[in-house]
Each structure stands twice: as C-alpha cells, then as structure tokens.
Amino acid sequence: MSYGVFARFYDRLQEADYEEIGGYYHRLLQENAVKTGAILLDLACGTGRLSRYFADLDYDVIGADISPEMLSIAAGTPCKNIQYLCQDMCSLDLFGTIDCCVCALDGLNHLQNAAAVQRAFERVGLFMNRGGVFVFDMNTLHKHNQILSGNSFIYDLENLYCVWNNSVAEGGRIDMSLDIFARENSMGNMWQKYTERLAETAYDAAKVAEMLEVAGFGGVKIYDWLSDYPANELSEKAVFLAIKM
C-alpha cells in the first residue's frame, strides 16, 4: 500500500492531536532512559508531523515510510535534524544504529499479517542499540470487531467530503474504502472524486508481546492509549513499550 491518493488529504482527515501524542511518546522515552539528542526512528512517519515534533526536541530523527507521496509532503516542510527514507518497514535497512523507535497512529496495523509484523520487529531490533526503547501503538481487536466492523463514517470539512466504509472484521482484518470528494475550484461548482482502499489487521496483545520477545525485546509493557494505565479488553488502542535486550 503506497497511500498515493490518501497522502494528499491525510493531514486534513487525521483528527490526531500531534502535540499530545508527541508529548506522550517523549515522556515514555525519557522515563526509560532515552536522552534528548538520541537517534530516533519514526517508523511509518507519513507526512512527518511527529518527526518534526521530535526534531524540535533535539532528537536526531530518521523518518521512514513506504509511501513516496507521504514523504514528498513531509520533505516539503523544512526541519533540522531529520533524514527521510522511503523504505518498507519489513525490509528496513538503515545506515547505522538507533537509540529508540516510535511507530504511531496504527502504522503497524497496516501490515498484511502477523508474519509481516514479526519481520518489522526484527528489522527494528537489528538496528537498535542494546537498551534502546521501542514504543508504538496498535488498534485493538475490540476496536476492529466492535467499533469499525461493518460501519461507515463521514467527514464533512471545508471543500472536502469523505465517506469511510469498513468491511465486517474477519480474523482481525478490516478492509477500508475511502471515497474522497475535493472541491477543485473557488467557485464551488466542480468536485473531484478520489478513492483509496486500505486494510488494517489487529492482533491479541499477548501475541504482539510474544512477537516482540522473539525479535529480541524484553520488559514489554502495554498501556491504554495516551495513559499510564494497563490496556484492557475495552481499549481501542494499545501502546506497547519494549526494551532491546
């Protein structure tokens, strides 16, 4: 999935508070002995908004994403201390080692299956220094099965309208279809339709922790989204923190 169409509209349709998310991840990293100035990999960095947040905190940032369209938007906003790489996280190939890695906003859910997630964990582990911190979030089975499954959502923004349809969840997988209508001229009488098809797969949290351990990580902690509380069966998004052994 290259997100070629979605890249153009991603930042407008994404409802995330990047200041809050960046601050949360930064705190988790610092609480686990990652110092400011560390080399940080922003995995599935998208349009680079979190990469820029961490760079402004004086991390030395590598932003990696599979989508050249997303990275083109990211690189269009100049920022110090960021190097962008167009790479598949399952075959990540860095120039040196890293001190920490973040993967936010369910980037890992977009991988095709558990085997792909395992490969991504192993590639991150290969380049991470011992004692390094890997922190990421994933949408949960509860969210896929009870909230997204078979449901549709509407975004009605200025000059932009989006219909997001989700298939019924099967085996944790959701197929998503986004029909995006963008007003193309200031007179308001011409609209262009774009369609993007995506998929996400959710996994049992214990299985994700097991995959991390196979990839050489330990001390796994699983939090409810943006909190210090353990994730539970009603969590819609779980945050995993693991240390490279």
mmCIF file of all heavy atoms in Angstrom, residues 121 188 225:
data_model
loop_
_atom_site.group_PDB
_atom_site.id
_atom_site.type_symbol
_atom_site.label_atom_id
_atom_site.label_comp_id
_atom_site.label_asym_id
_atom_site.label_seq_id
_atom_site.Cartn_x
_atom_site.Cartn_y
_atom_site.Cartn_z
ATOM 1 N N PHE A 121 9.403 -6.059 13.407
ATOM 2 C CA PHE A 121 10.010 -6.049 14.736
ATOM 3 C C PHE A 121 11.478 -6.462 14.657
ATOM 4 O O PHE A 121 12.344 -5.865 15.305
ATOM 5 C CB PHE A 121 9.264 -7.008 15.664
ATOM 6 C CG PHE A 121 7.902 -6.534 16.108
ATOM 7 C CD1 PHE A 121 7.054 -7.397 16.800
ATOM 8 C CD2 PHE A 121 7.461 -5.245 15.859
ATOM 9 C CE1 PHE A 121 5.805 -6.984 17.226
ATOM 10 C CE2 PHE A 121 6.208 -4.819 16.279
ATOM 11 C CZ PHE A 121 5.379 -5.693 16.966
ATOM 12 N N GLY A 188 -16.795 26.685 -6.526
ATOM 13 C CA GLY A 188 -17.540 25.662 -5.819
ATOM 14 C C GLY A 188 -18.408 24.785 -6.681
ATOM 15 O O GLY A 188 -19.224 24.016 -6.160
ATOM 16 N N TRP A 225 -4.311 3.726 25.495
ATOM 17 C CA TRP A 225 -3.900 4.858 24.666
ATOM 18 C C TRP A 225 -3.756 6.155 25.473
ATOM 19 O O TRP A 225 -4.660 6.566 26.208
ATOM 20 C CB TRP A 225 -4.916 5.043 23.546
ATOM 21 C CG TRP A 225 -4.715 6.170 22.597
ATOM 22 C CD1 TRP A 225 -5.637 7.103 22.238
ATOM 23 C CD2 TRP A 225 -3.537 6.471 21.827
ATOM 24 N NE1 TRP A 225 -5.125 7.967 21.307
ATOM 25 C CE2 TRP A 225 -3.826 7.605 21.034
ATOM 26 C CE3 TRP A 225 -2.266 5.888 21.735
ATOM 27 C CZ2 TRP A 225 -2.899 8.173 20.157
ATOM 28 C CZ3 TRP A 225 -1.335 6.446 20.873
ATOM 29 C CH2 TRP A 225 -1.655 7.572 20.097
#
